Amino acid sequence: MTATTPRPASAEALPAKPAIRLGDLLFSRAALWSGGLILVILAAVAIFLVAQSIPALTADPADFVGQPASFLDYVWPLVFGTLWSAALALVMALPLAIGIALFISHYAPRKLAQALGYLVDLLAAVPSVVYGLWGIGVLAPAIQPVYSWLVDNAGWFPLFAGPVSGTGRTILTAGIVLGVMILPVMTAICREVFLQTPVLHEEAALALGATRWEMIRMAVLPFGRPGIISGAMLGLGRALGETMAVAMVLSPQAIVSFALLQSANPSTIAANIALSFPEAYGVNVNLLIATGLVLFLITLAVNSIARYVVNRRKDFSGAN
Amino acid sequence: MNTKRAGSLTALLAAGAIVLSGCAANETATDSPEPGATSDAPSTLSGTLVGAGSSAVGAAQTAWIADFQMQNPDVTVTYDPTGSGAGRETFQGGGSDFAGTDRAFNDEEIAAGGFQACAPDSGIVQLPLYISPIAIIFNVEGVETLNMTPEVVAGIFAEEITNWSDPAIAELNEGVELPDAAITPVHRSDDSGTTENFTDYLFQAAPDVWTFEPDGVWPLESGEAAQGTSGVVDAVTNGTNTIGYADASRAGGLGTVAVEVAGEFVPFSPEAAAAIVDASEFVEGRPDFDLSIDLNRDPETAAYPVVLVAYLVGCETYADPAKAELVKAYFTYMASEEGQANAAENAGAAPISSTLFDRVTAAIDVIG
Amino acid sequence: MTAIQTAPANPLAHGRLHRRTPWMVLGLSFAVAAGVLSLLAAAGTIGSLNLIAVAVLGTVFYIVSIGVLSSQVEGRRQATDRIVTAVVTTAFVLAVIPLVSLVFTVVANGLARFDVQFFTFSMRNVVGEGGGAVHAITGTLLMTGTAAIISIPIGLLTAIYLVEYGRGPLARAITFFVDVMTGIPSIVAGLFAFALFALFFGPGVRMGFAGAVALSVLMIPVVVRSCEEMLRIVPNELREASFALGVPKWLTVLKVVLPTSIAGITTGIMLAIARVIGETAPLLIVAGFTASMNTNLFADRMQSLPVFVFTSYANQGVDFQADLDRAWAGALTLILIVMVLNLAARLIARFFAPKFGR
């Protein structure tokens, strides 16, 4: 990306001024204006969020539903739940997504690979309501015995502390549902990037006697690293902001707890908005929008970190 | 790229065209009047009526709207089931012509005024047209019904009674075999009118055990939580030894609790639920057309006290007279025997009693 | 095993496992796993023979045994390769299980009402059984289509700007904001669109176009993000070769960069459409809820499939099975719509894509 237009080393070697073509001008302007327009839209959303949040930040906390001691008191369990469930989802989904993408791009027979890629793309379209229905109707009852077993046999491990949830609707289940939801997006991006690995790199590696795995490790993964991180960020963005599926699957309380298998779980910001918004009125609406602003900031922080990582590694990647 | 975009657009438009040209088969031409339609004279009403609010009333509104539109083919009524809070705000801001809400506008809100759809200085008409029993449902193998006092119900949901074989439950249910198993109480995870009415019941009927103020948000930080009526029913059904509370129309095959009222154990029924409204007082200091009810959850008579009463709210005087006519007709229909029977059949509501009906009819008359 | 070749004299070469050997090891591993578990079941240590346990144990056996076998015969590097192959395949199978379960659930439940009436009737004046979702399908197509018409040009051009032109503070600002935007909760996008339109049309405004704007807010960042990634991996050699031939920059982008990355861009755009086509909360706020057909984007409420599915599930009447069946059929329809769009986009993309070596 850094060196798309090679600039002339010295001005005298070229005609005084290169002619600017109309097409070039129009095209670059259109691109520029689109970028500017996005900035305007997004800034408008940000302004809206901030303006709507201010009443909640200045209001007396006693006016809020549930009478929390302060705004921070209200939002902290939600922040924790948001990060915790998204982290669970990412930890489970990222290795799987890379595995599926590699399987489709470098392991499966070509014909099968295309069909599989297609199937995975489709799953990105399943509405979150359906993931929610699947979560309560199929996943939670199926996985509850496993949870019971874990609590009985590994209850000494803090994450698996009891008492076990009787319905299986815990934060781990929500994490699994989120993981399944973000899997298609991450897989699709990883797969496309892996497929774009320059064939020459791959063939060079193979010609040097590398096994398939060594070829992937030396050529495909370094080339795809920024893509993997981009995919992970898109997935994480969805996991952080997912509303309906979490609201339907999770059994939430206003607590902070790492325990994975209990009835009482921390809720997430987005799910809390969905659960509380319909009955909210007055300053409570502002309160919910303020939590939305917090989510905004979380996403910002997470994405900035990821950006930083990508940019730092850029010089070593196989991409431009 | 341009071509690709154009291509996918074409595909989209083509698909759209197929759907568009199809139109909705049940909307083409004029809807043939249903055989059961009872309008004596052809309706002269026309226009659009917009409501928003409580999702608890959603199913009833669907039924009411369908029937009302069949009687008045030129009228379109829509109801956004966005929730009571949102419904009240929308109505206040003038975004809808009437509101459906799980609790009536309170004194402060009415004093603040500023109802944009109404004429200046107009009051608001609040009618308790949707009365729905809340069943206390449980899933214990082999048990279909249990007797409980309010104190026992409160004890279970406050997690002071934690085992089904607890003597407090057993002594009320002689001859019923209760398992020696932990109770999993399930409550609503969302802010809801059902929770507010249920906690109000516990607070009024068992104040010694249940010390939390009535609220739409569950006050305890323990127990199992689920979203919406459907979520609670799913959680209670899929779990074992669970207990929860939900709209009675969804109690289905689950066990239900008969609660003790005035020395008797009363199972839920539409009649018993309607009776509690008659046993209660109207909120004081309101005009005649504001029928807000102060529910008495601990009555002297054997009425079923765990009910949700949803209000339909309109203006006393509308800024737009055409709207007034429509609202009046629609409210009259909802309050009518026919309308109440419709809601009972399709949404499991309890029809309002004839005493209340007279008050409601008088109140609707002031809409103008 | 059967076909282990003797190690040849050449020290750089190793023995190879026969092509069929891994399959035989796989079969054997599962057989052993089943055997061990049924012995345990017979001995009463575990409750009963569990297929999932057999699969898990068999996979573990296979990975261990193929690793040991391969390292003995082929050497450490080949053994690593075989283990990774097994792990990658396992990851794939593991991920496919929930996805298949999900699809199966939707199809099995959705077929009950997947009939002609569902695609010809709206819900106007329908109570209980019957009725259809043609109004919701129309609304979804119109609103998502409009959102796509708004978002794809803006998003794609922005991605082009970021990759081909942008540098300096503006590009950094755009990247920054786009990143933040990917995490906006959908309900907030809905509230934003509502506030924007209420500013111009008053508080009672509900229209399909406002829904499309809300969806665009959610869709643009996804388009930018995925398209940017796909444009970025187009090798610079291609651009430089084009410039060297004297092709102007805009034509280079249009004729070289975009066609090279067209498959990826299509995937990205489809992902973006898929992301928004299932949104419920923002549409419920700005586009409202209606049981009737409405084809005018700029007036009155417009129903959409996700709202249809959600309200059918959440506000069930006494005849709740009818509502549930409609909800599942709506979900199935939504997936099928995306499938058709996806298929069409891919065919078109393949038509324009340059022919690669792979």
Side-chain angles (χ1 to χ4, degrees):
Chain A
M1 111 187 242
T2 43
T4 37
T5 35
R7 305 219 170 228
S10 64
E12 53 210 324
L14 284 172
K17 194 177 173 218
I20 293 179
R21 294 184 187 83
L22 183 65
D24 260 352
L25 192 70
L26 285 179
F27 196 72
S28 65
R29 281 294 138 81
L32 180 65
W33 282 110
S34 297
L37 186 63
I38 289 198
L39 219 50
V40 171
I41 300 174
L42 307 191
V45 176
I47 291 170
F48 162 79
L49 272 176
V50 173
Q52 291 283 310
S53 302
I54 288 172
L57 299 176
T58 55
D60 178 9
D63 291 345
F64 297 150
V65 165
Q67 280 97 35
S70 67
F71 174 71
L72 278 182
D73 227 40
Y74 179 83
V75 85
W76 162 240
L78 300 174
V79 171
F80 174 80
T82 306
L83 292 174
W84 182 225
S85 62
L88 286 174
L90 199 66
V91 164
M92 285 185 279
L94 187 60
L96 283 182
I98 297 175
I100 305 177
L102 280 179
F103 184 79
I104 292 174
S105 66
H106 287 86
Y107 284 91
R110 182 75 24 88
K111 281 272 184 311
L112 180 66
Q114 279 183 347
L116 291 175
Y118 184 60
L119 182 77
V120 171
D121 279 4
L122 270 191
L123 287 161
V126 178
S128 36
V129 176
V130 176
Y131 278 104
L133 287 175
W134 176 76
I136 18 179
V138 180
L139 180 64
I143 210 161
Q144 202 276 335
V146 181
Y147 290 173
S148 292
W149 185 86
L150 274 177
V151 167
D152 289 347
N153 293 285
W156 49 268
F157 189 58
L159 290 183
F160 299 149
V164 67
S165 157
T167 55
R169 294 163 55 256
T170 74
I171 193 138
L172 185 57
T173 312
I176 295 174
V177 170
L178 282 177
V180 176
M181 285 182 82
I182 64 177
L183 203 53
V185 185
M186 297 193 342
T187 306
I189 305 249
C190 290
R191 184 193 67 220
E192 289 302 328
V193 177
F194 291 161
L195 281 174
Q196 294 294 334
T197 313
V199 182
L200 284 176
H201 293 193
E202 296 181 4
E203 285 170 355
L206 292 174
L208 288 171
T211 60
R212 182 151 55 176
W213 165 240
E214 285 161 346
M215 178 271 282
I216 289 173
R217 215 182 37 165
M218 290 189 298
V220 178
L221 289 184
F223 179 83
R225 194 189 316 268
I228 295 173
I229 295 178
S230 274
M233 280 162 68
L234 269 183
L236 192 61
R238 184 157 188 197
L240 288 171
E242 176 51 41
T243 312
M244 224 40 120
V246 179
M248 288 167 81
V249 170
L250 194 62
S251 162
Q253 311 288 353
I255 57 161
V256 174
S257 155
F258 280 102
L260 291 176
L261 310 175
Q262 299 180 357
S263 278
N265 305 284
S267 186
T268 74
I269 291 178
N272 182 58
I273 294 180
L275 290 174
S276 309
F277 184 77
E279 301 297 323
Y281 57 93
V283 75
N284 284 305
V285 176
N286 300 104
L287 174 65
L288 292 176
I289 294 179
T291 63
L293 182 68
V294 173
L295 178 56
F296 204 81
L297 297 176
I298 294 176
T299 321
L300 177 76
V302 169
N303 279 333
S304 302
I305 295 168
R307 270 274 159 204
Y308 175 71
V309 174
V310 179
N311 287 340
R312 214 165 48 102
R313 306 287 316 213
K314 194 165 59 190
D315 297 340
F316 309 106
S317 78
N320 298 321
Chain B
M1 181 53 225
N2 286 336
T3 24
K4 191 227 73 111
R5 196 192 311 147
S8 61
L9 270 183
T10 324
L12 196 72
L13 290 179
I18 294 167
V19 175
L20 298 193
S21 63
C23 260
N26 55 332
E27 289 184 38
T28 45
T30 48
D31 290 322
S32 52
E34 290 292 295
T38 49
S39 52
D40 304 320
S43 163
T44 54
L45 289 172
S46 69
T48 309
L49 197 56
V50 172
S54 164
S55 52
V57 199
Q61 284 288 351
T62 310
W64 279 328
I65 289 171
D67 212 10
F68 186 69
Q69 283 180 160
M70 279 191 277
Q71 292 174 15
N72 306 281
D74 294 331
V75 178
T76 297
V77 184
T78 58
Y79 182 82
D80 294 345
T82 43
S84 296
R88 285 195 300 271
E89 295 242 315
T90 312
F91 178 67
Q92 200 146 20
S96 62
D97 305 319
F98 67 93
T101 165
D102 295 343
R103 73 156 172 82
F105 279 94
N106 57 31
D107 290 329
E108 287 165 40
E109 287 161 337
I110 295 174
F115 294 92
Q116 299 293 324
C118 309
D121 302 329
S122 153
I124 52 170
V125 177
Q126 310 205 75
L127 308 173
L129 289 181
Y130 180 78
I131 301 168
S132 165
I134 300 170
I136 301 169
I137 51 178
F138 60 86
N139 186 5
V140 177
E141 207 179 323
V143 185
E144 282 176 10
T145 176
L146 283 175
N147 295 333
M148 288 188 193
T149 59
E151 286 74 22
V152 170
V153 177
I156 289 175
F157 279 93
E159 305 204 11
E160 283 165 18
I161 300 173
T162 54
N163 197 300
W164 282 108
S165 60
D166 195 290
I169 307 176
E171 71 187 18
L172 296 171
N173 297 282
E174 281 176 24
V176 180
E177 243 180 79
L178 285 162
D180 178 17
I183 303 177
T184 307
V186 182
H187 60 84
R188 292 277 289 264
S189 62
D190 49 337
D191 189 348
S192 72
T194 309
T195 301
E196 187 161 4
N197 279 283
F198 183 66
T199 50
D200 184 41
Y201 161 69
L202 296 178
F203 184 70
Q204 284 195 30
D208 298 337
V209 187
W210 189 264
T211 51
F212 309 96
E213 289 280 324
D215 195 344
V217 179
W218 193 251
L220 286 159
E221 285 182 2
S222 58
E224 186 93 9
Q227 185 199 19
T229 300
S230 304
V232 170
V233 173
D234 284 350
V236 172
T237 312
N238 292 339
T240 49
N241 303 319
T242 45
I243 185 166
Y245 55 93
D247 216 51
S249 63
R250 302 288 308 286
L254 293 163
T256 54
V257 170
V259 291
E260 187 260 349
V261 181
E264 276 181 64
F265 290 100
V266 184
F268 81 86
S269 70
E271 298 74 26
I276 193 74
V277 176
D278 290 329
S280 306
E281 304 284 325
F282 292 104
V283 176
E284 284 176 17
R286 301 279 177 94
D288 283 347
F289 47 78
D290 185 333
L291 301 183
S292 309
I293 294 171
D294 212 351
L295 278 173
N296 175 9
R297 311 275 188 182
D298 199 7
E300 309 293 305
T301 55
Y304 187 76
V306 199
V307 295
L308 174 145
V309 175
Y311 296 83
L312 275 299
V313 182
C315 299
E316 182 193 358
T317 317
Y318 276 87
D320 177 2
K323 291 288 182 207
E325 197 186 358
L326 282 174
V327 171
K328 204 168 179 171
Y330 187 51
F331 277 26
T332 309
Y333 163 75
M334 286 192 286
S336 70
E337 200 178 322
E338 184 191 354
Q340 289 291 314
N342 189 1
E345 186 189 339
N346 292 302
I352 57 174
S353 65
S354 55
T355 351
L356 186 56
F357 174 75
D358 294 339
R359 292 290 304 263
V360 167
T361 316
I364 292 174
D365 272 341
V366 306
I367 298 178
Chain C
M1 295 281 89
T2 49
I4 301 165
Q5 293 160 3
T6 45
N10 184 349
L12 289 176
H14 284 286
R16 298 280 293 161
L17 289 178
H18 190 268
R19 266 177 58 237
R20 282 197 213 116
T21 313
W23 293 105
M24 293 169 65
V25 175
L26 185 66
L28 210 63
S29 300
F30 277 100
V32 170
V36 169
L37 284 175
S38 42
L39 273 181
L40 280 177
T45 324
I46 54 169
S48 62
L49 191 58
N50 188 329
L51 274 183
I52 299 170
V54 172
V56 171
L57 203 61
T59 311
V60 173
F61 281 168
Y62 172 73
I63 292 176
V64 172
S65 50
I66 194 76
V68 171
L69 190 63
S70 175
S71 66
Q72 289 303 313
V73 179
E74 300 178 312
R76 196 180 49 80
R77 290 172 49 219
Q78 296 293 339
T80 315
D81 185 49
R82 293 215 183 260
I83 290 175
V84 170
T85 306
V87 169
V88 164
T89 315
T90 310
F92 178 77
V93 173
L94 200 63
V96 160
I97 292 170
L99 299 180
V100 167
S101 155
L102 186 78
V103 171
F104 176 79
T105 312
V106 174
V107 171
N109 288 304
L111 282 179
R113 270 308 313 281
F114 203 72
D115 49 25
V116 175
Q117 197 188 21
F118 191 77
F119 292 96
T120 50
F121 271 49
S122 70
M123 286 302 291
R124 192 183 166 93
N125 300 351
V126 174
V127 179
E129 281 184 21
V134 70
H135 59 309
I137 296 171
T138 314
T140 282
L141 289 176
L142 284 173
M143 285 192 280
T144 315
T146 313
I149 291 171
I150 298 172
S151 310
I152 295 172
I154 295 181
L156 190 58
L157 279 170
T158 305
I160 290 173
Y161 174 78
L162 288 177
V163 175
E164 306 290 336
Y165 294 96
R167 48 186 58 82
L170 180 64
R172 276 205 298 277
I174 294 173
T175 313
F176 184 73
F177 269 88
V178 166
D179 281 355
V180 179
M181 254 15 222
T182 55
I184 286 196
S186 50
I187 200 162
V188 170
L191 290 172
F192 165 72
F194 180 71
L196 183 71
F197 277 76
L199 221 54
F200 298 112
F201 298 95
V205 62
R206 296 284 192 288
M207 59 164 88
F209 187 69
V213 169
L215 293 185
S216 298
V217 171
L218 293 169
M219 190 170 171
I220 288 174
V222 184
V223 176
V224 176
R225 206 74 182 74
S226 46
C227 288
E228 189 192 344
E229 206 48 58
M230 297 310 156
L231 291 175
R232 198 147 276 178
I233 54 178
V234 174
N236 258 346
E237 290 85 346
L238 290 180
R239 295 189 183 93
E240 282 156 10
S242 174
F243 293 145
L245 291 171
V247 180
K249 185 160 185 173
W250 68 284
L251 275 180
T252 305
V253 173
L254 220 53
K255 298 279 183 187
V256 177
V257 178
L258 286 180
T260 312
S261 51
I262 189 90
I265 289 177
T266 314
T267 305
I269 289 175
M270 288 319 299
L271 283 176
I273 291 181
R275 164 83 171 78
V276 299
I277 204 168
E279 278 302 341
T280 315
L283 292 183
L284 191 54
I285 293 174
V286 287
F289 169 88
T290 174
S292 310
M293 188 81 162
N294 175 18
T295 53
N296 185 352
L297 273 169
F298 296 95
D300 294 336
R301 277 135 226 272
M302 191 176 257
Q303 181 74 310
S304 58
L305 267 176
V307 173
F308 177 83
V309 172
F310 179 71
T311 49
S312 297
Y313 168 73
N315 305 330
Q316 298 165 23
V318 167
D319 187 3
F320 62 90
Q321 197 56 44
D323 282 308
L324 278 181
D325 286 347
R326 276 196 295 265
W328 285 110
L332 180 59
T333 313
L334 196 53
I335 296 175
L336 287 178
I337 289 177
V338 178
M339 191 163 109
V340 171
L341 285 178
N342 212 330
L343 199 63
R346 289 203 164 208
L347 285 177
I348 295 161
R350 181 180 297 178
F351 183 71
F352 285 102
K355 307 293 171 273
F356 277 130
R358 86 167 66 243

